[in-house]
Amino acid sequence: MRIEVTRDGHVATVEFERPGVLNALAPDDLPRLAGALAEAGEGARVVVVHGAGGAFSAGDDLRATADLSPSEWRQVVEGFHELTRVALALEVPVIAAIDGVCVGGAFEFACSCDLRIASTRSRLGCPEVGIGLVVSNASTVLLPRLCGSGYASKLMLTGRLVPAEEAYAHGLLDAVAPPDELEARARWLAEELAAQAPLAVRATKRLLVEGLGAAVERAMTRETEALVALCETADMREGFAAFREKRPSSFSGS
């Protein structure tokens, strides 16, 4: 995966791209992306993160994780959780600029960013139940905080993907723009944040994150244990097989 950090004035941008797989995140990509995000926050007032090539990210690269052992799965989940930890720990606001598909762990990471803007062609959601898994990145805490418990439950329990306009209507997004205007709109939003008093912005973000208390870490611990337990089930094996074979899943509940 290509990961690039660029700076323009007070705004740092993290761009990542893995052509041919909708920027799906392989296990080795996760610590590199977390490191780039941390690097971008140094000396910036705002960080914008986005995928290139017409997609944000398809989330976990299922082809790379299908046959992992429980201990290896734990490492993958912790890799996604570290992205959330870094996004929350940065002193400056993080904007997720979403174009195209944004699902699974990538969508859940985006929910840990401070603001989200998406193109009109974006589709978002957490389809984990469709392959026998559960969400990660403290989504069981962060997603209800953004859109309410009812809509969050609907997304997590059905696994359905929703268009950007619906996500915006339910509070998951802060703005929606045509694809050819997304970069400019994200930049405009970043400049608006960068123009505010830096120390006050940092203090405000710190207070917002502190308001979550220990709930995020507790959620990530529970999610990790649930994911590791599910990775040994027949349903997860069936879900991954169906994904590879491009067919509907047939779950047995075992």
Side-chain angles (χ1 to χ4, degrees), residues 11 48 95-97 117 181-191:
V11 179
V48 178
I95 299 171
I117 179 171
E181 296 179 16
L182 177 64
E183 184 176 345
R185 288 286 297 275
R187 179 72 192 190
W188 178 85
L189 181 57
E191 293 287 1

Side-chain angles (χ1 to χ4, degrees), residues 75-185:
Q75 291 178 351
V76 172
V77 177
E78 283 303 318
F80 275 102
H81 286 171
E82 187 61 20
L83 283 173
T84 285
R85 290 189 181 99
V86 171
L88 293 174
L90 282 187
E91 293 185 331
V92 300
V94 181
I95 299 171
I98 300 164
D99 187 23
V101 66
C102 178
V103 300
F107 167 68
E108 293 144 22
F109 158 65
C111 289
S112 70
C113 296
D114 299 284
L115 296 169
R116 285 151 299 283
I117 179 171
S119 73
T120 51
R121 66 184 176 187
S122 296
R123 290 179 64 80
L124 310 95
C126 33
E128 283 89 344
V129 292
I131 55 171
L133 295 175
V134 297
V135 297
S136 61
N137 295 74
S139 295
T140 48
V141 168
L142 297 176
L143 198 53
R145 185 172 180 244
L146 291 173
C147 63
S149 60
Y151 192 67
S153 295
K154 180 179 179 179
L155 289 179
M156 289 187 278
L157 293 174
T158 66
R160 65 183 288 256
L161 305 185
V162 299
E165 292 291 354
E166 180 178 332
Y168 174 73
H170 286 275
L172 282 172
L173 298 173
D174 300 286
V176 177
D180 60 349
E181 296 179 16
L182 177 64
E183 184 176 345
R185 288 286 297 275

Side-chain angles (χ1 to χ4, degrees), residues 197-216:
L199 296 180
V201 170
R202 292 184 180 203
T204 299
K205 172 165 181 174
R206 184 174 65 252
L207 290 168
L208 288 168
V209 172
E210 287 175 353
L212 293 169
V216 166

